[in-house]
Amino acid sequence: MVSTNPAKIFGLYPQKGSIAIGSDADLVLWDPNVNWKIKTDQLHMPVDYTPFEGIEVQGKPQVVLSRGQIIIDDGEFVGNAGLGKFIKRKARL
């Protein structure tokens, strides 16, 4: 829904930004009714800060799938480290 145009802009479409055979789709199941406060220790990134710390937001990802495997379940990382795959972008004309 929100990935096709960015994937096209950055030369990654259709390998990214599309749910189709041969594409590398990461899917997020989003709960729009959850209210929560952003905290660094709840985020899955290799830094110890976020400029969004303490901001209250509505909506939260509940499940994330990468290449058909659940890697985040109810906010907890359950995947395997190193699962990511580098995708080289195409040159833009």
Side-chain angles (χ1 to χ4, degrees):
M1 184 167 111
V2 297
S3 300
T4 301
N5 283 335
K8 287 178 179 179
I9 290 167
F10 291 106
L12 297 169
Y13 185 84
Q15 198 162 3
K16 286 287 193 181
S18 175
I19 301 172
I21 294 172
S23 292
D24 183 25
D26 299 331
L27 303 176
V28 178
L29 302 179
W30 187 265
D31 186 343
N33 299 312
V34 173
N35 292 308
W36 64 292
K37 188 180 288 189
I38 297 174
K39 295 182 182 178
T40 301
D41 62 353
Q42 296 175 332
L43 304 177
H44 303 284
M45 54 188 192
V47 295
D48 61 355
Y49 68 92
T50 176
F52 306 105
E53 182 79 32
I55 295 175
E56 292 188 24
V57 295
Q58 182 173 346
K60 187 174 184 182
Q62 295 298 312
V63 177
V64 178
L65 293 99
S66 178
R67 287 194 231 82
Q69 294 182 20
I70 295 175
I71 60 168
I72 305 272
D73 190 11
D74 196 27
E76 296 298 319
F77 180 75
V78 295
N80 297 318
L83 180 67
K85 176 182 168 186
F86 178 78
I87 298 178
K88 187 172 180 168
R89 69 186 208 124
K90 299 177 199 124
R92 291 186 58 201
L93 300 174

